[in-house]
Amino acid sequence: MADTAVQPSRSRDLDKLLLRPGNLVGPSFEPGPELREDLKEYAKVLVVGAGGLGCELLKDLALSGFRELEVIDMDRIEVSNLNRQFLFRLEDVGKPKAEVAAKRVMERVSGVNIVPHFCRIEDKELSFFSNFSIIALGLDSIEARSYINAVVCGFLEYDSDDNPLEETVKPMVDGGTEGFKGHARVIMPGLTPCFECTIWLFPPQVKFPLCTLAETPRTAAHCIEYAHLIKWDEVHSGKAFDPDDPKHMKWVYDEAVKRAELFGIPGVTYSLTQGVVKNIIPAIASTNAIISAACAMETLKIASGCSKTLSNYLTYNGAEGLHTKVTEFVKDKDCLVCGPGVLVELDSSLTLEKFISLLEEHPKLQLSKASITHRGKNLYMQAPPVLEEMTRSNLSQPLFELMGKISKDVVHATGTVKKNDTKTSSLRKLRVVFKGVDEVADMDTAGGA
């Protein structure tokens, strides 16, 4: 008699989530084999960062049924990475992290396709990020998170009632680790708090008084910062320090060792030098694995609807025992990045000067003496005098032309408002829509920061 026993599927654990109904599933969830195949074919995920957390994310996403992945990272592999970034080997030192990480995961997980990008995130066109269903962040930099957050919120559009259009919401899953601590969060721009809404969660960076560095250093970190902040400028007058240049970092390390020997201070190492200069917190492999698992699970929930997503910020602390907590933070309705701003409909012939006058008369704004910026470019600045003179010629030009002749986009206006007989400075986000102008096909952002 032929053996008709069903062989266990390699994706049996995934099948338990995708092939069965449940009480916590999303409203659009339809269990079945088709969902598993759709996940492989249509869900496209970008992993930003290929370090300790990024390596874990790539592996977890590949093993969770995602087949179309891309990863972007600007760093090369260093010896100090090898203790926790498990996809790398000694022979990989000096090679791009993104390329090696993609290669290793594809070798171990059959059928997955991972495209690496060895470059800065700022080097990519905005349209590059719009191609992905979900963006997963494995970063150790506040600046990089802010940039990706602004890009993703830039795709967001609102209707006339200031409700986000569902088709323009691009989900993000953000993870971060710091020693035995970590966090995972889900960001649905326009629906949940974005990164800027909760920027206050990040503690201020430690700063050392320059007098301590120059005269009375007491720790290895003082010696390193002396070489970095003081000695570098003395020796390399006018030359900017590049923390990603190994020669620059080696120079700072050598000078810090000399400084430490002079004052009898132990503990200066190359890895510590990198940590102090780049403000890197030592990473622990187990923390990366736990946070990556949480991020991969949330990515799967968003893509498949197999369960309700996190609401909306998970913290993990394994320093003493184990403690996890989920906190639901509230979206800042006035956020300049993800908030709707104020909708302003204009004629394409309206000049910048008349636009500034309109802001003063607008019932929701009443913004006087406004300075206007568009995508980081100063269209008109009230002060200082040198900038006012440089941008004065723009006043007579149509705003439509100054904004690149696109039908709708966001500008930021800074001016003064009067409240309770007191004038205060105010920065406002404006969604400008030009009446009677067709949508430009290649517009790369609308309604964002």
Side-chain angles (χ1 to χ4, degrees):
M1 182 175 178
D3 184 8
T4 59
V6 177
Q7 295 297 318
S9 168
R10 291 186 63 187
S11 59
R12 60 185 182 278
D13 295 322
L14 186 62
D15 290 346
K16 292 177 182 178
L17 296 172
L18 302 184
L19 306 186
R20 305 187 303 185
N23 295 323
L24 299 177
V25 300
S28 61
F29 179 67
E30 296 182 3
E34 298 82 5
L35 178 59
R36 186 176 61 198
E37 297 307 312
D38 287 347
L39 192 68
K40 295 178 181 179
E41 187 173 353
Y42 299 113
K44 193 174 182 181
V45 181
L46 173 66
V47 176
V48 185
L53 187 55
C55 284
E56 292 281 355
L57 269 172
L58 275 179
K59 175 260 294 180
D60 288 346
L61 291 172
L63 293 173
S64 298
F66 293 95
R67 288 295 177 261
E68 294 299 324
L69 302 173
E70 298 193 24
V71 58
I72 183 169
D73 196 297
M74 61 175 284
D75 288 338
R76 294 180 181 272
I77 299 165
E78 299 176 2
V79 172
S80 60
N81 301 148
L82 302 182
N83 71 323
R84 63 192 181 280
Q85 297 175 20
F86 69 98
L87 294 177
F88 308 142
R89 306 291 182 265
L90 188 60
E91 60 268 22
D92 299 325
V93 171
K95 297 177 183 177
K97 287 185 177 181
E99 295 177 5
V100 175
K103 176 175 176 286
R104 286 277 151 71
V105 174
M106 287 192 290
E107 288 173 349
R108 297 297 297 271
V109 184
S110 61
V112 67
N113 177 49
I114 304 177
V115 179
H117 301 272
F118 174 48
C119 62
R120 292 160 49 88
I121 52 176
E122 296 87 351
D123 294 340
K124 291 293 186 181
E125 297 289 338
L126 298 183
S127 57
F128 167 78
F129 298 96
S130 68
N131 295 326
F132 299 95
S133 312
I134 304 168
I135 296 178
L137 307 183
L139 295 165
D140 59 1
S141 163
I142 294 176
E143 292 77 13
R145 281 191 178 95
S146 291
Y147 179 83
I148 294 292
N149 181 75
V151 169
V152 170
C153 290
F155 301 127
L156 184 64
E157 294 185 36
Y158 287 84
D159 61 21
S160 57
D161 295 323
D162 289 346
N163 297 313
L165 300 177
E166 184 178 352
E167 64 271 17
T168 67
V169 176
K170 189 170 294 295
M172 278 193 302
V173 178
D174 172 47
T177 65
E178 183 178 293
F180 286 103
K181 301 176 183 178
H183 79 262
R185 75 167 113 183
V186 173
I187 298 176
M188 308 288 281
L191 301 173
T192 67
C194 77
F195 181 74
E196 294 299 329
C197 290
T198 54
I199 192 71
W200 50 269
L201 287 170
F202 290 85
Q205 295 184 0
V206 177
K207 301 292 183 182
F208 298 113
L210 287 178
C211 58
T212 299
L213 302 182
E215 298 173 10
T216 56
R218 297 185 295 276
T219 67
H222 289 164
C223 299
I224 293 167
E225 285 288 54
Y226 170 82
H228 171 217
L229 300 176
I230 298 176
K231 194 67 176 179
W232 176 270
D233 287 336
E234 289 180 358
V235 177
H236 305 87
S237 180
K239 183 178 181 180
F241 176 78
D242 183 0
D244 296 312
D245 188 328
K247 293 180 180 178
H248 290 197
M249 191 65 71
K250 180 65 165 56
W251 187 92
V252 169
Y253 165 66
D254 290 339
E255 291 298 319
V257 168
K258 295 177 186 177
R259 181 79 169 171
E261 290 176 350
L262 181 64
F263 285 88
I265 298 173
V268 175
T269 64
Y270 185 76
S271 59
L272 179 63
T273 302
Q274 289 179 302
V276 171
V277 172
K278 292 186 175 184
N279 195 36
I280 297 173
I281 305 297
I284 295 174
S286 58
T287 309
N288 286 335
I290 292 167
I291 296 302
S292 172
C295 290
M297 187 72 250
E298 294 307 316
T299 304
L300 180 63
K301 289 180 188 178
I302 295 170
S304 67
C306 66
S307 182
K308 294 180 180 178
T309 58
L310 184 71
S311 297
N312 44 48
Y313 193 97
L314 177 144
T315 54
Y316 163 82
N317 190 339
E320 295 181 8
L322 177 83
H323 180 264
T324 59
K325 180 182 180 182
V326 175
T327 304
E328 185 171 5
F329 288 108
V330 179
K331 178 180 178 293
D332 180 1
K333 62 182 178 63
D334 295 322
C335 178
L336 293 173
V337 179
C338 72
V342 177
L343 177 64
V344 182
E345 295 185 341
L346 305 171
D347 291 322
S348 59
S349 60
L350 188 80
T351 64
L352 178 58
E353 186 173 22
K354 290 183 179 179
F355 174 66
I356 293 174
S357 300
L358 182 149
L359 299 182
E360 194 165 0
E361 302 166 2
H362 196 288
K364 290 185 179 181
L365 296 171
Q366 298 181 343
L367 197 65
S368 61
K369 295 183 178 180
S371 297
I372 309 297
T373 61
H374 174 241
R375 300 193 188 185
K377 179 183 178 182
N378 296 326
L379 300 186
Y380 179 70
M381 302 298 290
Q382 297 278 355
V386 62
L387 281 181
E388 193 283 329
E389 184 178 353
M390 290 172 60
T391 56
R392 190 183 303 159
S393 60
N394 288 340
L395 290 173
S396 59
Q397 298 186 47
L399 180 63
F400 178 62
E401 294 184 5
L402 292 171
M403 291 174 60
K405 296 184 178 181
I406 55 179
S407 62
K408 57 183 177 180
D409 207 351
V410 165
V411 299
H412 288 90
T414 306
T416 57
V417 293
K418 192 173 183 179
K419 290 184 179 180
N420 301 324
D421 296 326
T422 303
K423 289 186 176 181
T424 59
S425 178
S426 177
L427 173 60
R428 301 302 299 270
K429 176 181 179 180
L430 311 175
R431 285 159 45 220
V432 175
V433 176
F434 293 101
K435 293 180 285 187
V437 177
D438 292 333
E439 186 76 32
V440 177
D442 61 353
M443 188 179 72
D444 57 10
T445 183

